[in-house]
Amino acid sequence: VSAKGGFHLFWGLAISTVISAVGTVLVARLLSPTEYGLFAIALMAPNLIILFRDWGVNSAMIKYTAQYASENKTANVKTILVAGLLFELVLGLSLSFISFFLSGFLATNIFQRPDITPLVQIASFTIFAGALQIATQSAFTGYEKMEFNSITMISLSTLKTVLAPLLVIIGLGVFGVIVGTTIALLITGLISIL
């Protein structure tokens, strides 16, 4: 089971890395260096806030889902999955709103770029989208369904590689890259839950 899971994780990681690299190169070629820097800065605040989202719930979901599944305790598995998913959703949504409401302060006082406030606001929803994705990946790992993890990674990379450059090409610039990245994360997270 471990070898099979490792193989599934390997091919998913390899393919998603190649797709992500293509997307990154496309975005870097379409944006000016200044715009690409704004993109990185806009994602910095939500990425720092994401650190407060990890309370070990994902590791617990993996451990107890695998344990209860091997013991045929289906009711306990469902309880763990529902509790873990609910915790991640509530915390992810709360941190997204905190980041959204602090975006003006962060853009003005921390980054000294008040013009990026709307970018940080949109990027704030990557926290919630990441919570969806992490919770479902933990469930997949606990159930030993690593192929679903791979499909999730490939879907995310593909959506980001298509959406972000497309939105830049139609004239949205840095805003398009942020929106494309956020939408890709949200769609992948929602599909993973389904």
Side-chain angles (χ1 to χ4, degrees), residues 130-154:
L132 291 174
Q133 190 174 13
I134 293 297
T136 55
Q137 285 179 339
S138 298
F140 296 154
T141 303
Y143 267 122
E144 298 173 354
K145 299 289 185 184
M146 300 308 285
E147 62 272 17
F148 292 154
N149 261 346
S150 293
I151 291 168
T152 301
M153 288 188 292
I154 293 169

Side-chain angles (χ1 to χ4, degrees), residues 7-20 133 137 146-162 184 188 192:
F7 173 73
H8 285 304
L9 194 58
F10 170 75
W11 66 258
L13 189 58
I15 292 170
S16 69
T17 300
V18 169
I19 294 169
S20 291
Q133 190 174 13
Q137 285 179 339
M146 300 308 285
E147 62 272 17
F148 292 154
N149 261 346
S150 293
I151 291 168
T152 301
M153 288 188 292
I154 293 169
S155 299
L156 175 61
S157 298
T158 303
L159 282 170
K160 281 184 2 184
T161 298
V162 169
T188 305
S192 296

Side-chain angles (χ1 to χ4, degrees), residues 63-193:
K63 181 202 182 305
Y64 290 108
T65 300
Q67 178 182 330
Y68 292 144
S70 70
E71 296 171 356
N72 290 325
K73 295 181 178 177
T74 310
N76 290 356
V77 171
K78 289 180 182 177
T79 302
I80 291 295
L81 290 178
V82 168
L85 186 60
L86 188 61
F87 178 83
E88 286 295 332
L89 294 179
V90 169
L91 187 60
L93 195 58
S94 300
L95 291 175
S96 287
F97 283 124
I98 289 169
S99 177
F100 183 87
F101 291 117
L102 288 177
S103 60
F105 172 79
L106 294 170
T108 303
N109 298 320
I110 304 298
F111 301 123
Q112 298 179 355
R113 300 294 304 256
D115 54 315
I116 67 166
T117 299
L119 299 176
V120 176
Q121 287 174 333
I122 295 197
S124 295
F125 292 100
T126 61
I127 299 169
F128 174 70
L132 291 174
Q133 190 174 13
I134 293 297
T136 55
Q137 285 179 339
S138 298
F140 296 154
T141 303
Y143 267 122
E144 298 173 354
K145 299 289 185 184
M146 300 308 285
E147 62 272 17
F148 292 154
N149 261 346
S150 293
I151 291 168
T152 301
M153 288 188 292
I154 293 169
S155 299
L156 175 61
S157 298
T158 303
L159 282 170
K160 281 184 2 184
T161 298
V162 169
L163 289 176
L166 180 66
L167 293 173
V168 172
I169 290 170
I170 64 171
L172 295 177
V174 179
F175 183 77
V177 177
I178 298 286
V179 168
T181 300
T182 305
I183 289 173
L185 278 162
L186 284 170
I187 289 172
T188 305
L190 292 173
I191 289 172
S192 296
I193 286 178

Side-chain angles (χ1 to χ4, degrees), residues 39-51:
F39 166 64
I41 291 170
L43 285 176
M44 192 178 300
N47 285 337
L48 290 173
I49 292 173
I50 283 174
L51 296 174

